[in-house]
């Protein structure tokens, strides 16, 4: 009989596989009973209290668990109950709440179990108390584009389904959790000490490193750490357990405390520390493994890293299977698996045996193990982070010990704490300088795009096979296998033509990619989303693996078409996405308003050539040809919509028309021009409006295959004559949800239906991607519902 080695590892792997099935089949709970921006009354237990930065400054944020959105007629009853709760112990209060909360819940809000409350200035409730709050409900935003951060999915993992803004405390129970409230107040006290000992930036870093307070972290410094690949040092994880936990354990040992008592005290102390800092996923994983390590010492057994990691997987996923989608979970366990399985293989296959080589390749091994996670969440990798971490990670022991020393010194005598903080601030300043230096080196970022699930699985499979058979493989073959795995993970093979209408809300952004590797952007702006480039456009481009845009075409200089382009141009001269050329409409002085001239200036500052296009000009990119139909060269009009650049695209038998905000005289001129090359044919096909499914059609039938509908679906554009001439098979409409203009207008939708168009709009579908291969055309909506 074959003896199974590490049975817990096999159990953990099997459980993780089952959790994958659960996560993939689980759907979001509908929250139809409460509307966004609705004034709401909520009740629940205070799970955590922390400080976060907001637009108005620092705000106290309360995390509520077992939350209920209340019916209006139940508010007075709960207020009376809370006012009389002084004699009810904490455990009894929980039982009473669980037994009665469903009777208080507002209809159709069963999906809400946890919320974040952004408090107004005033009294903050104690941890563990039952509270009644009022405020404005805000749902977490869902991602509507590939690459966009999905707030709703992220907070669903941590147990919150919404936010209450401008929250006001109405009532609270007299009893609360004294233990957790004491730890919370301890963290607030230590946070004040760090503010007193360190300057602003460094104080926020030390609070993240020592206390788990990431809400006040300086945003620019956090992004710098992320771009440099050292963002992991801000997480409370195994390093803290090694430095603090083992330090306490050894200290108790030197005090000759019996081993059993020592281990109990040490695990209890670290549990208190973990609870005080929020017990993040990395800390929870490290704590479970730390307890098992001490347990093995007590039992006289050998500690096995992978078995301990498997137990941690079982515990964490047993509580919340959705952690499989959490970057912190995947990074933390990926690093441990890399150390436990792949690192020994790397050390075996070193060509030399020097200490420097062993340290360098150890860092490479851990980076390889976590690389799929990094690319799946950030779509880029900082290659110099491997070398940077060789310096940063060893210095973290000094930083942590120095931070603890400054806290201890400040608690006794504040100037003593400030003195102890000086060397720590020097190290943190050196970290920042190194990060700034690294980000300005050539090829400081490899934008690879998001790998497919099959790529990540194959990459991991190759590393596992190399790790399992490393002693039987020639060293050269081992490293060739590693390079093969990297190629599998990062390769992108574009096929045919891809056109994506990015969901930027009330605005326009069209992305084109041709199989030869050409990338192009037509417009990029929004009037209802702030920082649209940072949150929608650039993440999408990185998701697609775009580090260079061969062309950026601005149809006209209205803000809802250019504010994202403006940001891209500002960053293009530094470490942003490189732009080969900016194309502006070739119009007279009357049309070159302040926004138009500003784009010219930004391009000049970034060293980007500006080219002007008008009727008859053609752009060739691989097999794609774009012909400009508008504006007439030198047209001297101040009507920016009328002179919108119109591009007619052909790719084999496929054709598309991109119209900006075309209307009026511009639309009539384009209609006449199209009549000379593209005789219209009325289409007799069934109309499907705002389909959320995937549709496939054949290119090269009658009319234009794809039309980007002008002016966000305005009824004043895309008239009958224009539709009769173009006869589009597919119409795309880019407009914001609930926009004040009422786009798309009903009369336009009726016209499109009359001409048999399949209509896709960002309001219902999110980003819409059209893929063309041969004569086949496939349309995919990002949102499937």
């Amino acid at each position: 009989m074959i003896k199974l080695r590490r049975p817990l590892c096999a159990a953990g792997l099997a459980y993780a596989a089952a959790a994958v099935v659960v996560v993939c089949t689980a759907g979001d709970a509908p929250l139809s009973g409460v509307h966004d921006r609705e004034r709401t009354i909520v009740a629940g237990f205070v799970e955590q209290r922390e400080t976060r930065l907001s637009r108005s400054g620092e705000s106290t944020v309360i995390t509520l668990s077992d939350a209920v959105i209340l019916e209006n007629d139940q508010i007075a009853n709960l207020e009376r109950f809370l006012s009389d709760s002084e004699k009810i112990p904490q455990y009894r209060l929980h039982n009473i709440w669980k037994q009665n909360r469903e009777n208080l819940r507002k209809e159709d809000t069963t999906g809400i179990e946890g919320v974040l409350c952004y408090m107004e200035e005033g009294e903050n409730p104690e941890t563990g108390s039952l509270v009644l709050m009022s405020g404005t409900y805000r749902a977490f935003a869902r991602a509507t584009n590939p690459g966009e951060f999905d707030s709703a999915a992220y907070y669903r993992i941590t147990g919150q389904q919404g936010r209450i803004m401008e929250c006001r405390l109405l009532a609270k129970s007299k009893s609360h959790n004294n233990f957790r409230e004491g730890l919370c107040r301890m963290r607030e006290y230590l946070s004040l000490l760090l503010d007193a000992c360190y300057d602003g930036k460094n104080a926020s870093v030390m609070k993240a490193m020592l206390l788990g307070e990431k809400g006040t972290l300086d945003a620019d410094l956090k992004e710098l750490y992320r771009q440099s690949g050292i963002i992991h040092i801000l997480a409370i994880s195994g390093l803290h357990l090694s430095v603090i936990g083992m330090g306490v354990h050894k200290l108790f040992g030197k005090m000759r405390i019996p081993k059993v008592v020592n281990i109990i005290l040490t695990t209890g102390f670290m549990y208190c520390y973990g609870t005080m800092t929020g017990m993040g996923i990395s800390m929870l994983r490290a704590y479970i493994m730390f307890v098992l390590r001490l347990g093995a010492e007590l039992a006289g057994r050998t500690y096995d890293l992978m078995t301990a990691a498997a137990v941690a997987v079982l515990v964490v996923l047993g509580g919340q299977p959705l952690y499989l989608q959490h970057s912190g979970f995947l990074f933390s366990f990926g690093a441990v698996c890399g150390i436990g399985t792949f690192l020994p293989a790397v050390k075996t296959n070193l060509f030399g045996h020097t200490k420097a080589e062993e340290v360098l390749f150890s860092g490479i091994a851990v980076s390889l193990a976590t690389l799929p996670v990094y690319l799946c969440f950030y779509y880029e990798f900082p290659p110099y982070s491997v070398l940077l971490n060789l310096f940063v990670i060893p210095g973290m022991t000094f930083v942590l010990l120095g931070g603890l020393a400054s806290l201890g010194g400040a608690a006794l005598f504040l100037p003593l704490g400030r003195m102890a903080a000086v060397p720590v601030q020097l190290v943190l300043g050196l970290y920042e300088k190194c990060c700034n230096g690294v980000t300005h080196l050539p090829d400081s970022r490899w934008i690879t795009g998001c790998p497919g699930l099959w790529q990540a699985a194959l990459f991991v499979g190759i590393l596992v096979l190399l790790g399992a058979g490393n002693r039987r493989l020639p060293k050269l073959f081992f490293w060739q296998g590693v390079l093969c795995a990297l190629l599998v993970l990062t390769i992108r093979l574009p096929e045919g033509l891809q056109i994506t209408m990015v969901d930027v809300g009330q605005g326009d952004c069209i992305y084109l990619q041709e199989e030869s590797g050409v990338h192009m952007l037509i417009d990029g702006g929004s009037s209802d989303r702030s920082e649209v480039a940072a949150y929608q456009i650039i993440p999408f481009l990185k998701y697609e693996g775009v580090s260079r845009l061969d062309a950026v075409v601005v149809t006209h200089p209205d803000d809802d078409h250019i504010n994202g382009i403006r940001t891209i141009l500002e960053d293009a001269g530094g470490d942003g996405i490189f732009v080969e050329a900016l194309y502006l409409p070739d119009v007279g002085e009357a049309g070159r308003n302040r926004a138009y001239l500003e784009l010219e200036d930004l391009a000049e500052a970034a060293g980007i050539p500006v080219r002007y296009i008008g009727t008859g000009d053609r752009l060739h990119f691989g097999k794609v040809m774009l012909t400009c139909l508008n504006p007439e060269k030198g047209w001297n009009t101040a009507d920016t919509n009328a002179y919108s650049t119109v591009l007619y695209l052909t790719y084999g038998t496929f054709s598309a028309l991109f119209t900006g905000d075309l209307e009026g005289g511009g639309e009539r001129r384009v209609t006449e021009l199209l009549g000379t090359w593209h005789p219209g044919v009325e289409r007799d096909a069934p109309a499907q409006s705002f389909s959320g499914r995937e549709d496939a059609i054949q290119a090269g039938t009658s009319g234009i295959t794809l039309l980007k509908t002008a002016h966000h679906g305005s009824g004043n554009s895309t008239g009958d004559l224009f539709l009769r001439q173009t006869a589009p098979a597919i119409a795309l409409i880019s407009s914001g949800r609930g926009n004040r203009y009422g786009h798309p207008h009903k009369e336009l939708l009726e016209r499109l239906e009359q001409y048999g168009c399949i209509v896709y709009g960002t309001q219902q579908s999110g980003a819409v991607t059209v893929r063309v291969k041969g004569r086949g055309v496939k349309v995919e909506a990002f949102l499937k519902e």
Side-chain angles (χ1 to χ4, degrees):
M1 180 180 294
I2 298 175
K3 184 177 180 181
L4 180 65
R5 297 183 61 191
R6 291 175 169 166
L8 279 176
C9 290
L13 185 62
Y15 188 83
V20 169
V21 176
V22 172
V23 169
C24 292
T25 56
D28 294 339
L31 306 178
S32 57
V34 58
H35 301 289
D36 198 30
R37 300 181 186 272
E38 179 183 342
R39 197 69 184 172
T40 302
I41 305 294
V42 62
F45 283 95
V46 178
E47 185 72 19
Q48 188 177 352
R49 186 171 69 241
E50 59 182 322
T51 302
R52 294 188 183 183
L53 290 176
S54 63
R55 292 180 180 177
S56 58
E58 292 189 353
S59 301
T60 300
V61 179
I62 305 294
T63 302
L64 292 189
S65 61
D66 294 327
V68 168
I69 304 295
L70 295 175
E71 295 277 9
N72 290 331
D73 57 359
Q74 298 291 345
I75 297 171
N77 294 333
L78 186 56
E79 283 183 313
R80 284 194 296 271
F81 171 76
L82 292 176
S83 65
D84 297 334
S85 65
E86 184 173 3
K87 297 182 180 180
I88 303 177
Q90 183 71 12
Y91 76 92
R92 178 64 178 153
L93 190 64
H94 273 274
N95 290 336
I96 293 175
W97 181 246
K98 287 182 178 180
Q99 292 170 5
N100 294 278
R101 64 177 184 156
E102 294 306 320
N103 298 326
L104 307 175
R105 186 186 296 276
K106 186 177 180 181
E107 187 179 0
D108 295 332
T109 62
T110 54
I112 299 177
E113 297 293 336
V115 294
L116 296 178
C117 299
Y118 286 74
M119 304 297 294
E120 291 184 339
E121 292 186 8
E123 184 180 9
N124 293 321
E126 293 84 2
T127 307
S129 58
L130 179 61
V131 296
L132 184 66
M133 306 269 206
S134 70
T136 304
Y137 181 83
R138 294 297 304 274
F140 290 118
R142 296 180 60 188
T144 60
N145 296 289
E148 183 180 351
F149 177 67
D150 196 323
S151 297
Y154 175 83
Y155 282 104
R156 186 164 64 104
I157 295 170
T158 58
Q160 290 85 48
Q161 289 81 36
R163 297 168 292 171
I164 308 294
M165 309 303 294
E166 302 170 350
C167 201
R168 188 164 55 91
L169 179 65
L170 301 179
K172 64 177 182 178
S173 64
K174 302 296 188 296
S175 63
H176 58 270
N177 190 316
N178 291 312
F179 168 70
R180 297 190 63 188
E181 176 62 19
L183 292 176
C184 185
R185 292 185 180 182
M186 174 64 73
R187 183 172 71 170
E188 292 169 349
Y189 169 68
L190 295 177
S191 179
L192 291 175
L193 292 182
L194 290 175
D195 281 329
C197 293
Y198 296 84
D199 62 34
K201 273 188 179 182
N202 290 332
S204 69
V205 171
M206 293 307 295
K207 285 191 281 188
M209 287 182 180
L210 292 174
L211 305 178
E213 285 191 12
K214 296 183 181 179
T216 58
L217 191 62
D218 182 83
D220 293 335
L221 190 59
K222 181 180 179 181
E223 180 61 17
L224 178 64
Y225 278 20
R226 188 196 68 77
Q227 290 182 358
S228 305
I230 66 167
I231 189 70
H232 58 87
I233 69 174
L234 300 177
I236 296 178
S237 60
L239 180 62
H240 296 70
L241 271 296
S242 298
V243 174
I244 301 174
M246 293 309 296
V248 170
H249 181 53
K250 291 177 181 179
L251 177 64
F252 288 159
K254 290 181 178 181
M255 296 170 62
R256 299 186 182 279
I257 294 176
K259 182 178 288 188
V260 175
V261 178
N262 182 342
I263 290 174
I264 293 173
L265 290 176
T266 303
T267 54
F269 176 82
M270 293 311 298
Y271 176 79
C272 292
Y273 177 71
T275 303
M276 182 185 74
T277 58
M279 197 60 85
I281 190 63
S282 297
M283 178 65 185
L284 178 59
R285 187 271 306 162
Y287 179 73
I288 294 169
M289 296 179 68
F290 178 73
V291 170
L292 292 173
R293 179 177 178 179
L294 295 184
E297 177 185 325
L298 181 63
R301 302 290 297 272
T302 301
Y303 173 73
D304 183 71
L305 179 71
M306 295 307 297
T307 298
V311 173
V313 166
L314 290 169
V315 172
V316 173
L317 294 185
Q320 175 56 285
L322 290 176
Y323 270 119
L324 278 170
Q325 299 174 330
H326 193 280
S327 61
F329 172 90
L330 296 172
F331 272 119
S332 185
F333 282 96
V336 171
C337 291
I339 293 170
T341 60
F342 192 61
L343 181 56
V346 169
K347 290 183 176 179
T348 302
N349 285 277
L350 295 178
F351 291 102
H353 298 285
T354 64
K355 185 66 175 177
E357 185 184 17
E358 183 174 331
V359 171
L360 174 61
F361 279 86
S362 296
I364 292 175
V366 176
S367 296
L368 281 172
T370 57
L371 183 59
V373 181
Y374 212 99
L375 297 186
C376 285
F377 283 90
Y378 298 125
Y379 324 124
E380 59 182 347
F381 180 73
Y384 299 114
S385 64
V386 176
L387 298 175
L388 188 59
N389 277 299
L390 296 180
F391 158 70
V392 169
I393 293 177
M396 280 302 298
T397 300
F398 174 80
V399 170
L400 291 178
L401 291 175
L404 294 173
S406 64
L407 282 175
L412 296 174
F413 184 53
L414 186 57
L416 185 62
R418 288 174 175 166
M419 289 177 58
V422 171
V424 178
Q425 297 209 87
L426 291 175
V427 174
L428 293 178
L430 186 58
Y431 282 1
E432 186 174 353
K433 288 182 179 179
C434 289
C435 289
N436 277 315
V438 162
T439 56
H440 289 90
L441 291 175
D443 297 318
S444 61
R445 294 184 304 163
W446 292 346
I447 299 178
T448 62
C450 182
L453 182 60
W454 69 269
Q455 290 176 286
L458 187 54
F459 174 86
V460 172
I462 293 174
L463 293 192
V464 169
L465 291 175
L466 291 173
N470 74 89
R471 295 184 183 277
R472 296 183 293 273
L473 296 174
K475 291 181 179 180
L476 184 59
F477 186 86
F478 175 85
W479 292 110
Q480 287 173 339
V482 171
L483 291 176
C484 178
L486 285 172
L487 183 63
V488 166
L489 184 66
T490 58
I491 193 170
R492 295 183 70 87
L493 299 173
E495 296 182 4
L497 173 68
Q498 174 186 336
I499 301 172
T500 299
M501 179 173 65
V502 183
D503 181 13
V504 290
Q506 188 66 14
D508 261 12
C509 183
I510 301 290
Y511 164 75
L512 283 78
Q513 175 184 288
E514 196 262 346
E515 58 191 320
S516 63
V518 173
H519 306 277
M520 179 178 176
L521 210 60
I522 302 175
D523 286 336
S526 176
S527 62
D528 63 354
R529 295 191 183 182
S530 60
E531 299 184 61
V532 67
Y535 295 123
Q536 277 85 36
I537 300 175
I538 293 177
F540 168 78
L541 292 175
K542 289 182 177 179
Y543 178 91
E544 294 290 340
V546 178
S547 59
R548 185 199 81 259
L549 286 167
D550 297 275
V552 172
V553 177
V554 171
T555 60
H556 63 294
D558 284 359
D559 209 43
D560 60 337
H561 289 249
I562 66 166
N563 55 14
I565 298 296
R566 190 184 293 124
T567 301
I568 291 174
L569 295 178
E570 289 171 346
D571 295 340
D575 58 356
I577 293 172
F578 183 74
V579 177
E580 291 281 357
L582 173 69
Y583 290 84
L584 296 176
D586 188 355
V587 293
E589 291 298 322
R592 303 190 178 198
N593 58 19
R594 180 181 299 178
Y596 187 107
L597 297 175
E598 183 183 0
L599 289 174
E600 290 181 318
D601 292 340
L602 288 172
E604 181 181 357
I608 301 169
V610 179
R611 296 167 185 165
Y612 303 91
I613 54 175
T615 302
D617 290 335
R618 291 184 174 182
L619 307 176
H620 291 267
F621 296 105
K623 298 179 182 178
V624 169
M625 182 166 64
L626 292 157
T627 303
C628 183
L629 305 184
N630 196 63
E632 184 179 346
K633 292 182 180 181
W635 190 10
N636 205 29
T637 176
D639 187 348
T640 56
N641 286 345
Y643 76 63
S644 287
T645 300
V646 175
L647 295 176
Y648 177 76
L649 177 149
T650 55
Y651 176 82
T653 59
F654 175 86
S655 59
L657 194 63
F658 305 102
T659 55
D661 280 355
L662 185 69
E663 61 183 12
E667 182 174 305
R668 288 191 293 273
R669 187 178 294 102
V670 169
T671 304
E672 293 171 2
L673 274 174
L674 281 172
T676 63
W677 322 332
H678 208 294
V681 180
E682 293 194 16
R683 187 179 302 279
D684 185 18
Q688 300 182 44
S689 182
F690 290 100
S691 171
R693 303 170 294 114
E694 294 183 357
D695 284 301
I697 67 169
Q698 286 290 109
T701 56
S702 57
I704 287 173
T705 316
L706 175 69
L707 170 68
K708 202 293 293 183
T709 308
H711 209 175
H712 321 292
S714 169
N716 297 324
S717 300
T718 320
D720 277 305
L721 183 60
F722 181 84
L723 284 173
R724 189 178 306 118
Q725 189 62 60
T726 57
I730 305 167
L732 305 183
I733 301 177
S734 179
S735 58
R737 292 162 186 79
N739 65 83
R740 60 193 177 95
Y741 308 101
H743 294 156
H745 290 157
K746 182 179 179 182
E747 55 267 35
L748 173 68
L749 296 177
E750 290 175 348
R751 285 200 295 270
L752 293 172
E753 180 179 357
Q754 177 186 348
Y755 285 93
C757 293
I758 300 174
V759 181
Y760 280 83
T762 54
Q763 286 190 353
Q764 283 74 22
S765 300
V768 180
T769 297
V770 179
R771 302 186 190 277
V772 185
K773 188 175 180 181
R775 292 180 61 87
V777 181
K778 186 177 181 182
V779 188
E780 302 168 357
F782 183 78
L783 300 178
K784 301 300 182 182
E785 56 190 47

